[in-house]
Short mmCIF file of all heavy atoms in Angstrom, two decimals:
data_model
loop_
_atom_site.label_atom_id
_atom_site.label_comp_id
_atom_site.label_asym_id
_atom_site.label_seq_id
_atom_site.Cartn_x
_atom_site.Cartn_y
_atom_site.Cartn_z
N THR A 6 -24.32 -0.65 2.22
CA THR A 6 -23.40 0.34 2.77
C THR A 6 -21.98 -0.21 2.81
O THR A 6 -21.02 0.50 2.50
CB THR A 6 -23.85 0.75 4.19
OG1 THR A 6 -25.20 1.17 4.15
CG2 THR A 6 -22.98 1.87 4.73
N LYS A 7 -21.85 -1.48 3.20
CA LYS A 7 -20.53 -2.11 3.22
C LYS A 7 -19.92 -2.14 1.81
O LYS A 7 -18.74 -1.88 1.63
CB LYS A 7 -20.62 -3.53 3.78
CG LYS A 7 -20.87 -3.59 5.26
CD LYS A 7 -20.96 -5.03 5.71
CE LYS A 7 -21.28 -5.14 7.18
NZ LYS A 7 -21.41 -6.55 7.59
N ALA A 8 -20.76 -2.48 0.83
CA ALA A 8 -20.28 -2.54 -0.55
C ALA A 8 -19.86 -1.16 -1.03
O ALA A 8 -18.85 -1.01 -1.72
CB ALA A 8 -21.36 -3.12 -1.45
N LEU A 9 -20.62 -0.13 -0.67
CA LEU A 9 -20.28 1.24 -1.08
C LEU A 9 -18.96 1.69 -0.44
O LEU A 9 -18.11 2.28 -1.11
CB LEU A 9 -21.40 2.21 -0.72
CG LEU A 9 -21.20 3.65 -1.14
CD1 LEU A 9 -21.06 3.76 -2.65
CD2 LEU A 9 -22.34 4.51 -0.65
N ASP A 10 -18.79 1.39 0.84
CA ASP A 10 -17.53 1.74 1.51
C ASP A 10 -16.34 1.02 0.86
O ASP A 10 -15.28 1.61 0.65
CB ASP A 10 -17.59 1.37 3.00
CG ASP A 10 -18.50 2.28 3.80
OD1 ASP A 10 -18.85 3.37 3.29
OD2 ASP A 10 -18.88 1.89 4.92
N LEU A 11 -16.54 -0.24 0.54
CA LEU A 11 -15.48 -1.01 -0.12
C LEU A 11 -15.19 -0.47 -1.52
O LEU A 11 -14.04 -0.38 -1.93
CB LEU A 11 -15.89 -2.48 -0.18
CG LEU A 11 -14.83 -3.47 -0.64
CD1 LEU A 11 -13.59 -3.37 0.22
CD2 LEU A 11 -15.40 -4.87 -0.59
N TYR A 12 -16.23 -0.09 -2.23
CA TYR A 12 -16.07 0.50 -3.56
C TYR A 12 -15.22 1.77 -3.49
O TYR A 12 -14.29 1.96 -4.28
CB TYR A 12 -17.44 0.80 -4.17
CG TYR A 12 -17.39 1.51 -5.49
CD1 TYR A 12 -17.18 0.80 -6.67
CD2 TYR A 12 -17.56 2.88 -5.59
CE1 TYR A 12 -17.14 1.43 -7.90
CE2 TYR A 12 -17.51 3.53 -6.79
CZ TYR A 12 -17.30 2.81 -7.95
OH TYR A 12 -17.25 3.45 -9.16
N LYS A 13 -15.53 2.63 -2.54
CA LYS A 13 -14.77 3.88 -2.37
C LYS A 13 -13.31 3.61 -2.03
O LYS A 13 -12.40 4.27 -2.55
CB LYS A 13 -15.40 4.74 -1.26
CG LYS A 13 -16.72 5.36 -1.65
CD LYS A 13 -17.29 6.14 -0.48
CE LYS A 13 -18.62 6.72 -0.78
NZ LYS A 13 -19.20 7.44 0.37
N LYS A 14 -13.08 2.63 -1.15
CA LYS A 14 -11.71 2.29 -0.75
C LYS A 14 -10.93 1.75 -1.94
O LYS A 14 -9.77 2.12 -2.17
CB LYS A 14 -11.74 1.28 0.38
CG LYS A 14 -10.40 1.00 0.99
CD LYS A 14 -10.53 0.09 2.19
CE LYS A 14 -9.17 -0.16 2.81
NZ LYS A 14 -9.26 -1.03 3.98
N LEU A 15 -11.55 0.86 -2.73
CA LEU A 15 -10.89 0.33 -3.92
C LEU A 15 -10.60 1.43 -4.93
O LEU A 15 -9.53 1.47 -5.53
CB LEU A 15 -11.77 -0.75 -4.57
CG LEU A 15 -11.62 -2.14 -4.04
CD1 LEU A 15 -12.70 -3.03 -4.61
CD2 LEU A 15 -10.26 -2.70 -4.35
N TYR A 16 -11.57 2.31 -5.14
CA TYR A 16 -11.38 3.42 -6.07
C TYR A 16 -10.17 4.27 -5.66
O TYR A 16 -9.32 4.61 -6.47
CB TYR A 16 -12.65 4.26 -6.14
CG TYR A 16 -12.52 5.47 -7.02
CD1 TYR A 16 -12.56 5.35 -8.40
CD2 TYR A 16 -12.35 6.74 -6.48
CE1 TYR A 16 -12.43 6.46 -9.22
CE2 TYR A 16 -12.22 7.84 -7.28
CZ TYR A 16 -12.27 7.71 -8.66
OH TYR A 16 -12.14 8.79 -9.46
N ARG A 17 -10.09 4.60 -4.37
CA ARG A 17 -8.99 5.42 -3.86
C ARG A 17 -7.64 4.70 -4.05
O ARG A 17 -6.66 5.29 -4.51
CB ARG A 17 -9.23 5.71 -2.38
CG ARG A 17 -8.31 6.72 -1.78
CD ARG A 17 -8.69 7.07 -0.35
NE ARG A 17 -10.10 6.83 -0.07
CZ ARG A 17 -10.56 6.01 0.89
NH1 ARG A 17 -9.74 5.39 1.68
NH2 ARG A 17 -11.83 5.82 1.08
N ASN A 18 -7.61 3.40 -3.72
CA ASN A 18 -6.36 2.64 -3.86
C ASN A 18 -5.94 2.49 -5.31
O ASN A 18 -4.76 2.52 -5.62
CB ASN A 18 -6.51 1.26 -3.21
CG ASN A 18 -6.47 1.33 -1.72
OD1 ASN A 18 -5.82 2.19 -1.15
ND2 ASN A 18 -7.18 0.45 -1.06
N LEU A 19 -6.91 2.31 -6.20
CA LEU A 19 -6.57 2.20 -7.63
C LEU A 19 -6.03 3.52 -8.17
O LEU A 19 -5.13 3.54 -9.00
CB LEU A 19 -7.79 1.76 -8.43
CG LEU A 19 -8.15 0.28 -8.32
CD1 LEU A 19 -9.49 0.01 -8.97
CD2 LEU A 19 -7.07 -0.58 -8.94
N TYR A 31 -10.14 1.88 -15.48
CA TYR A 31 -10.29 1.06 -14.29
C TYR A 31 -11.49 1.46 -13.45
O TYR A 31 -12.06 0.64 -12.75
CB TYR A 31 -9.00 0.96 -13.46
CG TYR A 31 -8.47 2.22 -12.85
CD1 TYR A 31 -9.05 2.75 -11.72
CD2 TYR A 31 -7.35 2.86 -13.37
CE1 TYR A 31 -8.55 3.89 -11.13
CE2 TYR A 31 -6.84 3.99 -12.79
CZ TYR A 31 -7.45 4.51 -11.66
OH TYR A 31 -6.95 5.64 -11.08
N VAL A 32 -11.92 2.71 -13.54
CA VAL A 32 -13.14 3.11 -12.85
C VAL A 32 -14.33 2.40 -13.48
O VAL A 32 -15.22 1.90 -12.78
CB VAL A 32 -13.32 4.64 -12.88
CG1 VAL A 32 -14.69 5.04 -12.38
CG2 VAL A 32 -12.24 5.31 -12.06
N ASP A 33 -14.36 2.34 -14.82
CA ASP A 33 -15.44 1.63 -15.51
C ASP A 33 -15.44 0.15 -15.17
O ASP A 33 -16.49 -0.45 -14.94
CB ASP A 33 -15.32 1.82 -17.02
CG ASP A 33 -15.66 3.23 -17.46
OD1 ASP A 33 -16.35 3.94 -16.69
OD2 ASP A 33 -15.23 3.62 -18.56
N ILE A 34 -14.26 -0.46 -15.15
CA ILE A 34 -14.16 -1.89 -14.82
C ILE A 34 -14.65 -2.13 -13.40
O ILE A 34 -15.44 -3.05 -13.16
CB ILE A 34 -12.71 -2.38 -14.99
CG1 ILE A 34 -12.31 -2.36 -16.47
CG2 ILE A 34 -12.54 -3.78 -14.40
CD1 ILE A 34 -10.84 -2.58 -16.70
N LEU A 35 -14.21 -1.30 -12.47
CA LEU A 35 -14.63 -1.45 -11.07
C LEU A 35 -16.14 -1.27 -10.95
O LEU A 35 -16.82 -2.08 -10.31
CB LEU A 35 -13.89 -0.43 -10.20
CG LEU A 35 -14.17 -0.44 -8.72
CD1 LEU A 35 -13.73 -1.77 -8.11
CD2 LEU A 35 -13.46 0.71 -8.04
N ARG A 36 -16.69 -0.25 -11.57
CA ARG A 36 -18.12 0.02 -11.51
C ARG A 36 -18.91 -1.15 -12.11
O ARG A 36 -19.90 -1.61 -11.53
CB ARG A 36 -18.45 1.30 -12.26
CG ARG A 36 -19.89 1.73 -12.13
CD ARG A 36 -20.22 3.01 -12.89
NE ARG A 36 -19.32 4.10 -12.53
CZ ARG A 36 -18.56 4.74 -13.40
NH1 ARG A 36 -18.55 4.43 -14.67
NH2 ARG A 36 -17.77 5.74 -13.00
N ASN A 37 -18.46 -1.65 -13.26
CA ASN A 37 -19.17 -2.76 -13.91
C ASN A 37 -19.14 -4.03 -13.05
O ASN A 37 -20.13 -4.75 -12.97
CB ASN A 37 -18.57 -3.05 -15.28
CG ASN A 37 -18.90 -1.97 -16.28
OD1 ASN A 37 -19.88 -1.23 -16.11
ND2 ASN A 37 -18.08 -1.84 -17.31
N PHE A 39 -18.94 -4.21 -9.76
CA PHE A 39 -19.83 -4.05 -8.62
C PHE A 39 -21.30 -4.14 -9.07
O PHE A 39 -22.12 -4.73 -8.39
CB PHE A 39 -19.57 -2.72 -7.90
CG PHE A 39 -18.61 -2.85 -6.76
CD1 PHE A 39 -17.25 -2.88 -6.99
CD2 PHE A 39 -19.05 -2.97 -5.47
CE1 PHE A 39 -16.35 -3.02 -5.94
CE2 PHE A 39 -18.18 -3.12 -4.41
CZ PHE A 39 -16.82 -3.14 -4.65
N ARG A 40 -21.62 -3.56 -10.22
CA ARG A 40 -22.99 -3.64 -10.72
C ARG A 40 -23.36 -5.07 -11.11
O ARG A 40 -24.46 -5.53 -10.87
CB ARG A 40 -23.17 -2.71 -11.91
CG ARG A 40 -23.29 -1.27 -11.51
CD ARG A 40 -23.51 -0.39 -12.69
NE ARG A 40 -23.58 1.00 -12.27
CZ ARG A 40 -23.45 2.02 -13.08
NH1 ARG A 40 -23.25 1.82 -14.37
NH2 ARG A 40 -23.53 3.25 -12.62
N MET A 57 -17.50 -9.89 -2.16
CA MET A 57 -17.07 -8.91 -1.16
C MET A 57 -15.71 -9.30 -0.59
O MET A 57 -14.86 -8.46 -0.37
CB MET A 57 -18.11 -8.81 -0.03
CG MET A 57 -19.42 -8.19 -0.47
SD MET A 57 -19.24 -6.46 -0.94
CE MET A 57 -18.99 -5.74 0.66
N ALA A 60 -13.09 -8.46 -3.17
CA ALA A 60 -12.88 -7.01 -3.24
C ALA A 60 -12.07 -6.53 -2.04
O ALA A 60 -11.17 -5.69 -2.18
CB ALA A 60 -14.22 -6.29 -3.31
#
Side-chain angles (χ1 to χ4, degrees):
T6 306
K7 288 179 183 178
L9 182 60
D10 289 343
L11 189 56
Y12 175 82
K13 288 178 182 178
K14 188 174 181 180
L15 274 170
Y16 177 77
R17 190 174 336 122
N18 285 329
L19 284 171
Y31 64 77
V32 170
D33 289 339
I34 292 170
L35 181 64
R36 186 181 306 122
N37 289 337
F39 267 81
R40 284 182 181 163
M57 292 294 288

